[in-house]
């Protein structure tokens, strides 16, 4: 099978995701409301209470808004990844997922195309959020807006793979929202997105170690350092390994026989 067929497959999945994104305009605005709420409202209240010392990658004292910006960027990727996983559960129940898996291309490539499409759409939302942040006069290195792009793509694929793995284990659409609440909020709040790790350690030693075990923490730190033209090698290795791990789990989880068995059984005729 030639490479043209692989590219056509990626182009088709990307086009379908963009059409879905354009049709769901509320999805774009809701993805911006959550981080802007933290940036405008909560940061104003926490600015005086939370003093931030000089820690890498920062070379001087920074405002709380500047600190939480990378975490809010990853927040957009997190919610998009989980929302796309919800669409996978919906596609599975409607039957379109079975049609996708009938392709002669490897299942791993089909799901990777899905993850890459989600990542590219998420990038648009992240940079729209960054444009608003710049208009709010938040100090950002302009060159860092380019160097942070690969780390945003990697983070989006990681979070999308976690969502796809969870969607492969959830059989019914009505169960998805409850499970996601036990995934999204702990991943976001028990991380370095809103507070430095050293503050977590001052508060609780066990909470600090839980933050270190959270893959979202390392993704946030990877984005934070890349935004300021620095490479945190340890967070890069951990993020790459966890991305590969959850991608493998997502591929193994989407078995055609499991999808068939997850559909509601038809009543037998009398």
């Amino acid at each position: 099978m030639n490479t043209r067929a692989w590219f056509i497959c990626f182009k088709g999945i990307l086009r379908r995701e963009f059409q879905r994104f354009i049709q769901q305009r509320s999805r774009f605005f809701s993805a911006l409301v959550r981080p802007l709420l933290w940036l405008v409202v909560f940061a104003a209240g926490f600015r005086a209470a939370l003093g931030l010392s000089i820690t890498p990658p920062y070379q001087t004292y920074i405002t709380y808004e500047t600190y939480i910006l990378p975490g809010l960027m990853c927040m957009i990727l997190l919610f998009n990844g989980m929302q796309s996983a919800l669409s996978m559960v919906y596609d599975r129940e409607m039957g379109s997922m079975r049609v996708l898996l009938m392709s002669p291309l490897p299942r791993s490539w089909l799901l990777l195309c899905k993850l890459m499409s989600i990542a590219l759409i998420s990038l648009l939302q992240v940079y729209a959020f960054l444009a608003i942040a710049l208009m709010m006069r938040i100090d950002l290195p302009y060159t860092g807006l380019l160097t942070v792009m690969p780390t945003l793509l990697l983070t989006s694929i990681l979070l999308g793979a976690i969502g796809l793995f969870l969607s492969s284990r959830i059989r019914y659409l009505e169960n998805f929202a409850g499970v996601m609440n036990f995934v999204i909020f702990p991943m976001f709040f028990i991380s370095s997105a809103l507070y430095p790790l050293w503050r977590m350690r001052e508060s609780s030693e066990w909470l600090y170690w839980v933050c270190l075990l959270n893959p979202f923490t390392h993704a946030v730190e990877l984005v934070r350092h890349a935004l300021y033209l620095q490479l945190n090698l340890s967070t890069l290795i951990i993020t790459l390994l966890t991305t590969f791990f959850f991608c493998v789990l997502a591929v193994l989880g989407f078995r055609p026989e499991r999808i068939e068995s997850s559909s509601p059984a038809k009543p037998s005729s009398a």
Side-chain angles (χ1 to χ4, degrees):
M1 191 173 297
N2 55 24
T3 56
R4 186 170 180 269
W6 295 61
F7 176 74
I8 291 175
C9 174
F10 172 69
K11 183 180 177 181
I13 294 177
L14 180 62
R15 179 181 298 175
R16 183 175 184 273
E17 290 299 319
F18 264 105
Q19 288 177 348
R20 174 181 289 177
F21 175 72
I22 292 173
Q23 292 172 359
Q24 300 173 349
R25 295 181 181 88
S26 59
R27 177 179 168 185
F28 175 77
F29 294 105
S30 63
L32 294 180
V33 167
R34 283 184 294 262
L36 285 175
L37 188 65
W38 276 98
L39 191 63
V40 176
V41 180
F42 289 92
F46 291 153
R47 186 187 302 129
L50 293 174
L52 298 175
S53 62
I54 302 176
T55 56
Y58 308 107
Q59 304 297 325
T60 183
Y61 289 98
I62 57 171
T63 62
Y64 184 65
E65 292 93 330
T66 303
Y67 175 81
I68 65 172
L69 195 67
L72 297 180
M73 293 161 60
C74 293
M75 180 187 190
I76 296 174
L77 303 179
L78 175 62
F79 277 87
N80 276 358
M82 298 304 142
Q83 191 170 9
S84 298
L86 172 62
S87 69
M88 291 289 285
V89 179
Y90 180 81
D91 290 344
R92 188 178 64 194
E93 291 199 351
M94 296 298 104
S96 56
M97 194 62 205
R98 288 192 289 270
V99 175
L100 179 63
L101 291 178
M102 289 174 61
S103 169
L105 292 170
R107 191 189 322 138
S108 58
W109 175 250
L110 297 175
L111 294 179
L112 181 61
C113 291
K114 177 79 173 180
L115 292 175
M116 284 297 299
S117 302
I118 296 171
L120 291 175
I121 294 173
S122 298
L123 274 184
L124 296 178
Q125 295 170 295
V126 170
Y127 278 95
F129 170 69
L130 287 175
I132 298 175
L134 288 173
M135 288 189 290
M136 295 173 60
R137 297 184 179 180
I138 295 179
D139 187 22
L140 285 174
Y142 289 100
T143 52
L145 299 179
L146 295 177
T147 58
V148 77
M149 186 181 297
T151 62
L152 290 173
L153 284 172
L154 178 60
T155 301
S156 181
I157 293 174
L158 166 63
L159 299 174
I162 294 175
L164 290 183
F165 167 68
L166 292 173
S167 67
S168 68
R169 299 294 173 179
I170 299 173
R171 298 187 59 180
Y172 301 107
L173 186 63
E174 57 268 19
N175 298 334
F176 190 85
V179 174
M180 287 301 100
N181 287 333
F182 288 98
V183 175
I184 293 178
F185 294 107
M187 284 188 68
F188 179 68
F189 287 107
I190 309 178
S191 71
S192 61
L194 300 177
Y195 318 103
L197 287 177
W198 63 267
R199 278 200 172 273
M200 290 289 191
R201 196 164 199 173
E202 287 183 350
S203 174
S204 173
E205 185 71 20
W206 69 266
L207 185 60
Y208 166 76
W209 287 106
V210 172
C211 290
L212 286 182
L213 293 174
N214 184 1
F216 189 72
T217 295
H218 302 283
V220 169
E221 291 304 310
L222 181 65
V223 170
R224 190 188 309 280
H225 282 76
L227 188 61
Y228 288 87
L229 311 178
Q230 297 182 26
L231 175 63
N232 191 324
L233 188 58
S234 62
T235 58
L236 175 61
I237 294 174
I238 293 173
T239 305
L240 284 172
L241 290 177
T242 51
T243 300
F244 176 77
F245 175 72
F246 281 105
C247 283
V248 171
L249 290 181
V251 171
L252 295 177
F254 271 95
R255 297 181 182 273
E257 60 270 18
R258 180 175 297 168
I259 294 175
E260 290 290 343
S261 63
S262 66
S263 56
K266 295 181 180 180
S268 58
S269 58

